Amino acid sequence: PINTRTLAHMLKVETVFNSVNKYVRELAIRYSAQYGDDRELVGIYRVNKFISRRQAWRVDSKQQFTSFWEAETGADFNVLHLEGDGIQRYIPNSLSRELGIFTMHTVRHKPLVMNVGYRRDFVTRRALTDMQYKPSRGLAGGQLSPRDFVLNQFSSRLRWNIVKIAFLTATFSHSERAPDINELYAGNDHFAILVEENGDDNLNKEQANSFEIATGLQLNAFRLIANRYLTDFDGYLYLAHTGMSRSGGFLVKEWRASQTRITGWELEASYDHQWKNGGHFRISAFGDLVKNINTSEDHLRGWAEGDYMPNLPTSRYGISTIFKMGKGSLSAVFERYLKQRYLGKNINPE
């Protein structure tokens, strides 16, 4: 039997200063420290153990420049040290550092509301010398080379309140993500997912451009929203089948990057009722229609993985309700995930 055990301790400290000066409404300073112990057990044998130590600092402020222009600006920095033990661990000891600087601005001029934001990150990934770590025969993180990434994020959103009961929004965002430690350096059997996981230290950052159009109607207690979205990924990072397997039945998979497009609809309807005695009732329903497609011109990927990406979310729908009275509440949720119509491949069809 394969078992996993996770133990975590976290300390959080924060302080907030209000009305710092004429323009700064709020200044917040936050610090957190986390100690984690993650293990994989096969029978009575501990095959993987990872001790993670993470520290994070964050400073952000909320500004009010004029009656119609407000902003939030800040910076955060975090460090993660990962130290492993065990007879078959799949990641070497590693060190990650991330520094981010961001600003978000909101401008209101009836009937329009505009949000614009920008963030810049500096990310460092390092595999540390570890004589006890024995990688697999696969790609196994290549040469475990040190990597540095500079990331840029941009978001913009325009909302038009057409009339009192209806609105229309348009959103564009550009996001970038650095490969994680396992995507770069993994190189052994990952028992929790029954895969020989192989990272690639030559992977580049993942980039995505997203477009959304949404419209909504608020009529007294009723609310309806429909959202259409499209996201194009350049260098989408995913765990791909190699067509090989090792003794014990472990499939050999590698982290790869390719072009992918995800499109879909999000639909939501809700009804709220407030009683005079303080009771509150809400019922809502939603539907997510998701479609993904391989937009790469790589013929080998098309043969091995098909026209659609494997292992991505399926379409779903659901309904939820909550009733509150005084200090008590009662809620119920139902969700159904639909069978995928468009399947990917892992050499063979999903």
Side-chain angles (χ1 to χ4, degrees):
I2 296 174
N3 295 295
T4 62
R5 195 196 81 173
T6 299
L7 178 69
H9 304 276
M10 178 176 282
L11 169 69
K12 286 186 175 182
V13 180
E14 71 174 56
T15 184
V16 179
F17 302 94
N18 294 308
S19 303
V20 177
N21 58 40
K22 180 180 178 181
Y23 299 107
V24 179
R25 293 190 290 112
E26 183 179 292
L27 175 66
I29 302 173
R30 298 177 173 89
Y31 168 78
S32 66
Q34 181 175 342
Y35 173 87
D37 182 333
D38 298 273
R39 303 185 182 197
E40 290 183 344
L41 308 170
V42 177
I44 62 172
Y45 298 100
R46 187 187 72 204
V47 292
N48 276 313
K49 175 184 176 182
F50 294 103
I51 300 296
S52 58
R53 297 178 177 85
R54 183 191 297 272
Q55 295 189 75
W57 296 262
R58 180 183 174 98
V59 178
D60 62 82
S61 63
K62 295 180 180 179
Q63 301 94 40
Q64 187 78 51
F65 299 112
T66 67
S67 60
F68 58 86
W69 177 21
E70 61 185 54
E72 182 172 355
T73 304
D76 54 45
F77 176 70
N78 73 76
V79 180
L80 171 63
H81 185 261
L82 190 67
E83 186 175 338
D85 187 21
I87 58 177
Q88 252 184 318
R89 55 195 164 99
Y90 62 96
I91 303 178
N93 294 343
S94 62
L95 179 66
S96 292
R97 296 190 183 95
E98 299 182 10
L99 170 64
I101 303 169
F102 60 90
T103 184
M104 172 69 80
H105 295 256
T106 301
V107 178
R108 293 181 174 87
H109 183 70
K110 291 183 179 181
L112 300 175
V113 180
M114 183 176 65
N115 303 96
V116 179
Y118 176 74
R119 179 183 175 99
R120 189 173 179 87
D121 290 277
F122 303 89
V123 178
T124 298
R125 308 279 194 227
R126 298 288 186 270
L128 305 179
T129 303
D130 182 2
M131 299 305 295
Q132 295 180 340
Y133 176 66
K134 304 296 182 184
S136 69
R137 290 179 288 159
L139 183 61
Q143 302 300 314
L144 304 182
S145 307
R147 296 298 306 277
D148 297 287
F149 302 91
V150 178
L151 310 176
N152 295 288
Q153 328 274 347
F154 172 78
S155 64
S156 60
R157 180 173 179 263
L158 182 64
R159 174 178 171 130
W160 176 28
N161 297 310
I162 305 172
V163 291
K164 287 186 178 180
I165 63 170
F167 68 87
L168 179 69
T169 65
T171 304
F172 168 76
S173 64
H174 172 82
S175 61
E176 299 180 356
R177 182 178 75 85
D180 216 335
I181 289 294
N182 62 316
E183 294 166 342
L184 290 172
Y185 302 133
N188 222 320
D189 292 343
H190 189 169
F191 284 84
I193 58 175
L194 293 175
V195 163
E196 180 189 303
E197 185 177 347
N198 287 277
D200 184 352
D201 61 352
N202 288 315
L203 290 173
N204 293 317
K205 60 187 178 183
E206 179 183 277
Q207 302 182 68
N209 291 318
S210 297
F211 304 86
E212 293 187 28
I213 296 290
T215 185
L217 183 68
Q218 179 83 50
L219 185 60
N220 297 324
F222 291 95
R223 187 167 185 249
L224 297 172
I225 296 177
N227 183 39
R228 173 66 170 167
Y229 64 88
L230 180 151
T231 301
D232 275 317
F233 287 92
D234 181 12
Y236 176 82
L237 300 176
Y238 68 104
L239 197 54
H241 204 314
T242 64
M244 297 184 292
S245 63
R246 306 271 192 232
S247 60
F250 280 81
L251 300 176
V252 181
K253 292 192 174 185
E254 296 176 350
W255 283 101
R256 296 177 184 166
S258 194
Q259 280 66 43
T260 298
R261 172 175 291 174
I262 298 177
T263 64
W265 285 91
E266 295 174 334
L267 308 171
E268 181 185 348
S270 64
Y271 170 77
D272 281 273
H273 183 75
Q274 194 84 29
W275 281 285
K276 293 181 180 180
N277 60 2
H280 177 227
F281 173 76
R282 175 184 172 88
I283 184 169
S284 60
F286 75 90
D288 292 339
L289 306 176
V290 184
K291 185 178 180 180
N292 71 86
I293 189 168
N294 168 8
T295 54
S296 169
E297 297 181 357
D298 185 342
H299 297 293
L300 179 61
R301 180 188 165 185
W303 169 81
E305 293 151 20
D307 294 327
Y308 302 94
M309 287 294 294
N311 306 320
L312 281 181
T314 63
S315 299
R316 60 181 182 144
Y317 64 87
I319 188 170
S320 64
T321 182
I322 185 168
F323 173 71
K324 294 182 179 180
M325 180 64 74
K327 296 183 178 180
S329 65
L330 178 67
S331 62
V333 177
F334 167 80
E335 287 188 24
R336 178 170 177 80
Y337 290 80
L338 303 182
K339 183 178 180 179
Q340 285 180 302
R341 288 183 59 195
Y342 306 103
L343 297 175
K345 292 168 62 179
N346 281 315
I347 304 302
N348 297 312
E350 282 189 305

